[in-house]
Amino acid sequence: MKSLFSGCSVVVVGDVMVDHYIWGDASRISPEAPVPVVHVHKEEYRPGGAANVAANVVGLGGEADLIAFYGKDFGGNILEALAKKYMYNFDKSIVVEGFKTIRKTRVVARAQQVVRVDWEEKLILDGAKEEILWQRLSNKPSACRVLVISDYGKGMIGDQRAAKLIHWARERNMDVVIDPKPPAKKGYCGATVVTPNRKEAEIMSGESIDTLLDAERVASKLRQELELEALFLTLGGDGMMLATEDGCAHYPALEQEVYDVSGAGDTVVACVALSIAAGLDYHVASQLAMITAGVAVSKVGTAVVHWEDVLKTKEWNTLRETISKG
């Protein structure tokens, strides 16, 4: 079946990184220290951060243009190769000399993560690099209806740049979907949609979320404070709370075994952005986001969800009937 998102185009701006996986088995403890000895079977590189958002957009049947700064190094070469593999557009001319591309290495033994090692430094954009960002944005196709801001707090976004990006998009009648990173918050005001997880929402609101009533109150509060059309609050195993001008609605998570939550938020952002680009309402977008997130967490490691994965779920058959009825 043709994807609902076929022909939908999204621009993604944000922090990119390489997710590096080392897969193996651990059957004994090292004589040198009380740590497992991992016998390596293979290693793998996957797109991370904003790059994972772009890869999921394409996987779900849309088109993605990724704008992000990265280093002219081994990690940068990997990012360029991943763009070709996952078929999203990635401008290779916006490298930062001397900057080390962020890389997160996870050692996984028998589907269990043993340790994670991060190579990263905060990106600092000078005036010249800032100008390049706006030039690249201005060259993007006018058919792009949605701008995704993927803020991982690594220096690409932040309050001031987020506010400028929202203003830029609004001038072009584009919707803006933000995957937030506290403590940044003020710069998100005026976006179309923000998609915090439980912890992020707690930090942004200054309130704890222990029950669904807490989630409803916090989601409504943040939506009003940030002047959003909608706020999608992801709650892990408790599903999602959607807050709109009409009130709140809760959507439960799929009942299935969870292997890894890494990157599930990226999948949700990609799905919500594509749903907006396709003209779907927020309630349908929430249900689609729950389906795609369920697929993502059923896989080990940061995963790209494909439209074919959605079609295989029993929840899709029910939702398809809802969509066909208009």
Side-chain angles (χ1 to χ4, degrees):
M1 178 182 175
K2 185 178 180 181
S3 171
L4 279 179
F5 306 130
S6 179
C8 295
S9 185
V10 174
V11 177
V12 182
V13 178
D15 301 292
V16 292
M17 57 200 73
V18 174
D19 282 337
H20 177 207
Y21 289 88
I22 298 176
W23 308 92
D25 287 322
S27 58
R28 63 190 180 95
I29 301 298
S30 171
E32 303 165 359
V35 295
V37 176
V38 178
H39 178 68
V40 176
H41 293 163
K42 67 173 182 177
E43 60 179 330
E44 183 181 8
Y45 298 97
R46 299 181 183 179
N52 189 38
V53 176
N56 273 274
V57 167
V58 175
L60 290 171
E63 300 173 4
D65 282 88
L66 174 62
I67 300 177
F69 290 89
Y70 61 104
K72 191 175 183 180
D73 56 1
F74 174 76
N77 293 336
I78 294 294
L79 280 176
E80 292 177 1
L82 289 170
K84 292 180 180 179
K85 178 179 178 180
Y86 291 96
M87 297 183 292
Y88 53 86
N89 299 317
F90 186 33
D91 197 322
K92 300 186 177 75
S93 64
I94 48 180
V95 296
V96 179
E97 293 289 344
F99 176 69
K100 295 180 181 178
T101 303
I102 298 171
R103 176 159 50 105
K104 298 178 183 293
T105 297
R106 297 168 176 87
V107 180
V108 183
R110 295 185 179 179
Q112 295 294 319
Q113 189 174 143
V114 176
V115 68
R116 193 180 94 178
V117 181
D118 291 3
W119 285 271
E120 69 174 67
E121 60 184 57
K122 196 148 188 175
L123 175 67
I124 299 176
L125 297 183
D126 57 24
K129 291 294 186 295
E130 182 89 23
E131 183 61 29
I132 291 174
L133 169 62
W134 302 113
Q135 288 177 0
R136 296 298 182 270
L137 276 169
S138 65
N139 292 333
K140 293 308 169 189
S142 58
C144 293
R145 286 193 52 196
V146 180
L147 170 68
V148 172
I149 299 175
S150 180
D151 191 356
Y152 270 77
K154 308 301 182 185
M156 183 73 190
I157 307 298
D159 274 340
Q160 291 187 353
R161 197 163 293 118
K164 290 181 180 179
L165 285 165
I166 292 170
H167 178 73
W168 176 89
R170 290 307 197 185
E171 283 187 328
R172 290 156 180 80
N173 297 315
M174 295 175 68
D175 288 300
V176 182
V177 177
I178 301 180
D179 188 6
K181 185 67 175 181
K185 173 183 173 182
K186 294 180 180 179
Y188 303 150
C189 188
T192 310
V193 168
V194 175
T195 63
N197 59 30
R198 188 194 303 265
K199 182 178 179 181
E200 291 164 346
E202 287 179 334
I203 296 172
M204 292 169 72
S205 66
E207 300 181 24
S208 61
I209 301 174
D210 301 313
T211 67
L212 290 179
L213 285 176
D214 293 337
E216 183 175 332
R217 184 184 65 256
V218 169
S220 295
K221 174 184 176 181
L222 287 174
R223 189 198 71 80
Q224 293 178 34
E225 285 184 357
L226 298 177
E227 302 174 18
L228 309 171
E229 285 189 15
L231 183 134
F232 292 71
L233 171 53
T234 56
L235 300 165
D238 292 323
M240 175 183 289
M241 186 66 69
L242 168 67
T244 66
E245 187 178 10
D246 297 328
C248 289
H250 174 246
Y251 295 92
L254 273 62
E255 294 183 4
Q256 61 184 52
E257 188 169 1
V258 175
Y259 286 95
D260 198 334
V261 299
S262 302
D266 298 331
T267 303
V268 168
V269 173
C271 183
V272 170
L274 284 170
S275 296
I276 293 172
L280 302 176
D281 69 40
Y282 293 129
H283 295 281
V284 172
S286 296
Q287 294 173 77
L288 278 168
M290 283 294 87
I291 292 173
T292 55
V295 173
V297 300
S298 70
K299 302 181 179 184
V300 179
T302 304
V304 173
V305 176
H306 295 86
W307 184 248
E308 291 75 14
D309 298 323
V310 174
L311 297 180
K312 293 175 183 177
T313 65
K314 62 181 180 180
E315 290 79 8
W316 163 248
N317 290 324
T318 302
L319 182 57
R320 180 175 57 183
E321 293 180 5
T322 301
I323 296 172
S324 62
K325 291 177 183 178

